[in-house]
Amino acid sequence: MCAEAFNSILIRLARAARALDHMLAALSNPLDKRRSDVVETAAEAFDRELLYLAAAFDIYGRLYAWLLDTSKDHKTIRNQSLDSRDFVNKLVQKQYDETLLDDVIRLQKYAWVCKHLRNHIHDGILQVVTAVGDAIGPADNRTLGRGGGGQ
């Protein structure tokens, strides 16, 4: 269980780092030369980064809770995540001296923002709209977009 969970965390963190690289590469295009495909590439990479970070927070939280009580079936442990202030307060702070947890407590807020931003992005309903195609594809494409305007 532990080796698989740690491996899963490492894989997700590596994927999040790769997604950050993709986002930065897309955003490195000069402002006057950015097209909608650059914006889409950056947005998709940002979404993947949030997804993989949120997954790593959740896996770590469930693993930590299981390590504290290995009599539990690890598959039934839910709602334990590094993004939760309650998780840090109720489980982590009980196990460590408070002076060792400054970074954990400080960074938990960023984990919370990451998770909520990801959930907010995926909470919206994407509208199907007609958009003008580029020179490569058909002249009329069906696209997904948030809100009006088909962006």
Side-chain angles (χ1 to χ4, degrees), residues 55-124:
F57 301 150
D58 290 348
I59 295 165
Y60 183 86
R62 288 193 302 268
L63 174 63
Y64 188 86
W66 179 78
L67 288 171
L68 292 177
D69 184 359
T70 57
S71 67
K72 292 182 180 179
D73 179 2
H74 71 279
K75 294 178 183 178
T76 64
I77 297 173
R78 297 286 179 252
N79 301 321
Q80 302 295 336
S81 180
L82 281 177
D83 67 89
S84 167
R85 185 180 311 147
D86 285 344
F87 172 81
V88 173
N89 291 344
K90 292 178 181 175
L91 293 179
V92 179
Q93 285 184 330
K94 289 182 179 181
Q95 303 298 320
Y96 294 94
D97 183 86
E98 183 109 11
T99 60
L100 299 173
L101 297 175
D102 289 342
D103 285 338
V104 172
I105 292 167
R106 180 178 56 83
L107 294 172
Q108 178 277 324
K109 294 170 185 75
Y110 294 104
W112 183 89
V113 168
C114 173
K115 181 74 92 51
H116 280 77
L117 181 56
R118 186 206 173 266
N119 289 343
H120 180 73
I121 288 169
H122 289 268
D123 192 32

